[in-house]
Amino acid sequence: MNHPVKLQQQVKAASHAFSIILETHFAAWKPTIGECVVPRLGLQGYGVYECADILQIRVDIAELHQSKVFLKVGVSRWSDLLRFFIDQLHSDAPTPFVWS
């Protein structure tokens, strides 16, 4: 098999697995709509100010959504949230983690 094609298939499979993990955890955390959208943008590398601009909301509202999600997950910054999902991807944990 051609290496670029194989790599493309592997990236697509990893992306799909990451999406499943993301959806599973978000469903378990029962976030509000804002609590879903802001972290998805944050995981893509956008900061709170950029999230607020993209979503056309006030920065303090974006910060509130961010902090509520961080509290639910038990992290304090975007990189920790990303690391959490990557760790889930590397483990075979089929059930979502819910911070208590």
Side-chain angles (χ1 to χ4, degrees):
M1 180 179 278
N2 191 344
H3 291 292
V5 172
K6 185 175 181 179
L7 179 61
Q8 186 178 23
Q9 290 171 341
Q10 290 172 334
V11 169
K12 187 174 182 177
S15 176
H16 180 68
F18 189 82
S19 294
I20 290 171
I21 288 171
L22 197 67
E23 295 303 322
T24 301
H25 282 71
F26 272 84
W29 294 328
K30 297 177 178 50
T32 65
I33 292 171
E35 291 172 359
C36 279
V37 178
V38 170
R40 289 174 194 278
L41 291 171
L43 288 170
Q44 292 177 26
Y46 294 104
V48 176
Y49 289 95
E50 294 166 309
C51 291
D53 188 48
I54 290 166
L55 299 172
Q56 299 179 351
I57 59 176
R58 294 189 332 246
V59 172
D60 62 322
I61 299 297
E63 289 172 337
L64 179 66
H65 293 320
Q66 170 189 283
S67 58
K68 283 185 175 184
V69 168
F70 286 176
L71 185 63
K72 287 180 181 185
V73 183
V75 299
S76 58
R77 53 185 184 246
W78 293 121
S79 60
D80 293 337
L81 184 61
L82 181 59
R83 186 177 311 115
F84 170 81
F85 284 117
I86 290 172
D87 288 346
Q88 293 294 301
L89 188 61
H90 287 287
S91 75
D92 289 330
T95 56
F97 171 82
V98 179
W99 191 260
S100 54

